[in-house]
């Protein structure tokens, strides 16, 4: 973790307390910090800054001279619709998308999403994965995450209102590459921004019916090359475009 994020209840005037075991372990064993050292910290939902370690105990670390003076980095103007992946992949994807600064994440059902995934205990740990991503990306503002268990009603009734500025759907068999899509958008209007919505399937991608439904709402299908990538590799490859802007 590149900063330690604490809830507002952990702060009192210019002091704070770390009581979460993984954070204490990180300070002791990864940072090898001691009393008098300065830590990079932040308040969840608030500002970033620094604090000095006053004392270290087995179950808590006391901080003093807390200074929260920096705003968190701006969020990407982006909503990611992600077909619910395998549970063991979910943690990495939520962490990565949070660290990259995605503003909204929608986990949706798809034909290739196994029903058992929706009963996974990993879904109850989304806040934990978000915190890991925020501490990695040195951010304090969590993305909004919603769950949509019914694909067709969501696409027909909600998608249009979410897509504020064009949308794309990642599809390895599309005849148009993401690079071609971007060049076309720039040639038609150099001031055009990247799309505000990206749809990414689970392992195996979207089926033709799902691609057609998304296309009917204005999402253009694009590929990111001839290689078939794992979901987490595809997410990072696509979202990297937003970090380069």
């Amino acid at each position: 973790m590149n900063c330690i994020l604490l809830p507002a209840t952990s702060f009192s005037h210019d002091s704070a307390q770390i009581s979460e075991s993984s954070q204490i372990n990180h300070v002791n064993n990864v940072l090898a910090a001691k009393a008098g050292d300065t830590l990079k910290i932040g308040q969840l939902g608030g500002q970033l800054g620094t604090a000095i370690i006053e004392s270290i105990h087995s179950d808590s670390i006391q901080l003093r001279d807390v200074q929260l003076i920096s705003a968190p980095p701006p969020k990407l103007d982006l909503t990611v619709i992600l077909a619910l992946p395998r549970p063991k992949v979910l943690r990495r994807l939520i962490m990565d998308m949070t660290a990259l600064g995605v503003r909204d994440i929608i986990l949706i059902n798809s034909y290739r999403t196994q029903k058992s995934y929706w009963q996974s205990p990993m879904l109850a740990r989304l806040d934990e994965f978000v915190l890991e991503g925020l501490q990695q990306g040195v951010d304090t503002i969590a993305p909004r995450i919603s769950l949509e268990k019914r694909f067709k009603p969501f696409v027909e009734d909600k998608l249009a209102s979410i897509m504020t500025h064009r949308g794309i759907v990642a599809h390895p068999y599309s005849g148009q590459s993401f690079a071609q899509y971007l060049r076309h958008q720039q040639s038609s209007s150099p001031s055009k921004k990247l799309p505000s919505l990206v749809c990414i399937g689970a392992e195996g991608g979207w089926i033709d019916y799902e691609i057609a439904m998304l296309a009917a709402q204005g999402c253009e299908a694009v590929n990111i090359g001839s290689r078939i990538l794992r979901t987490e590799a595809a997410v990072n490859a696509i979202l990297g475009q937003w970090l380069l802007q």
Side-chain angles (χ1 to χ4, degrees), residues 1-182:
M1 58 185 74
N2 294 313
C3 72
I4 294 175
L5 295 186
L6 304 172
T9 53
S10 295
F11 293 87
S12 178
H13 303 296
D14 64 346
S15 64
Q17 177 176 285
I18 302 172
S19 55
E20 207 281 318
S21 59
S22 66
Q23 294 176 328
I24 294 172
N25 180 68
H26 183 79
V27 172
N28 286 327
N29 299 319
V30 178
L31 300 180
K34 58 186 184 300
D37 288 348
T38 298
L39 295 180
K40 183 181 292 185
I41 68 167
Q43 179 177 313
L44 280 168
Q47 300 281 89
L48 292 159
T50 60
I52 295 174
I53 298 175
E54 183 173 82
S55 60
I56 299 177
H57 308 280
S58 60
D59 60 349
S60 68
I61 296 175
Q62 302 297 321
L63 305 176
R64 61 177 172 85
D65 297 335
V66 173
Q67 298 185 49
L68 300 177
I69 56 175
S70 301
K75 289 291 186 211
L76 301 179
D77 180 20
L78 180 62
T79 296
V80 174
I81 296 177
L82 178 69
L84 185 66
R86 291 177 293 128
K88 70 177 184 179
V89 175
L90 181 63
R91 173 179 176 267
R92 296 195 298 270
L93 285 169
I94 294 296
M95 285 177 56
D96 286 348
M97 289 189 288
T98 299
L100 288 167
V102 174
R103 183 190 58 210
D104 292 280
I105 300 169
I106 299 171
L107 299 175
I108 194 170
N109 194 45
S110 73
Y111 180 82
R112 291 193 170 106
T113 296
Q114 295 186 24
K115 291 182 179 179
S116 62
Y117 294 176
W118 290 103
Q119 280 73 54
S120 170
M122 299 293 272
L123 287 173
R125 298 175 59 191
L126 293 180
D127 288 346
E128 174 188 332
F129 307 150
V130 165
L131 178 61
E132 291 183 73
L134 290 174
Q135 292 181 140
Q136 172 66 37
V138 192
D139 192 0
T140 66
I141 308 299
R144 294 185 291 261
I145 301 179
S146 57
L147 308 180
E148 295 288 345
K149 295 184 179 181
R150 301 176 65 201
F151 179 87
K152 187 171 184 279
F154 170 79
V155 173
E156 290 182 334
D157 301 334
K158 299 181 181 180
L159 183 57
S161 63
I162 294 171
M163 187 167 53
T164 58
H165 183 72
R166 293 180 289 115
I168 59 171
V169 51
H171 183 46
Y173 305 111
S174 169
Q176 175 181 222
S177 71
F178 192 18
Q180 290 171 330
Y181 169 85
L182 293 176

Side-chain angles (χ1 to χ4, degrees), residues 168-233:
I168 59 171
V169 51
H171 183 46
Y173 305 111
S174 169
Q176 175 181 222
S177 71
F178 192 18
Q180 290 171 330
Y181 169 85
L182 293 176
R183 285 197 296 270
H184 174 72
Q185 295 297 326
Q186 286 294 315
S187 64
S188 61
S189 177
S191 63
K192 277 190 175 181
K193 302 177 182 178
L194 286 163
S196 63
L197 183 140
V198 176
C199 305
I200 301 173
E203 300 295 334
W206 307 101
I207 62 172
D208 291 343
Y209 170 79
E210 293 165 337
I211 293 290
M213 285 204 66
L214 292 167
Q217 299 297 325
C219 293
E220 285 194 55
V222 301
N223 70 68
I224 52 174
S226 59
R227 298 178 185 274
I228 306 299
L229 304 177
R230 293 179 302 171
T231 303
E232 54 264 47

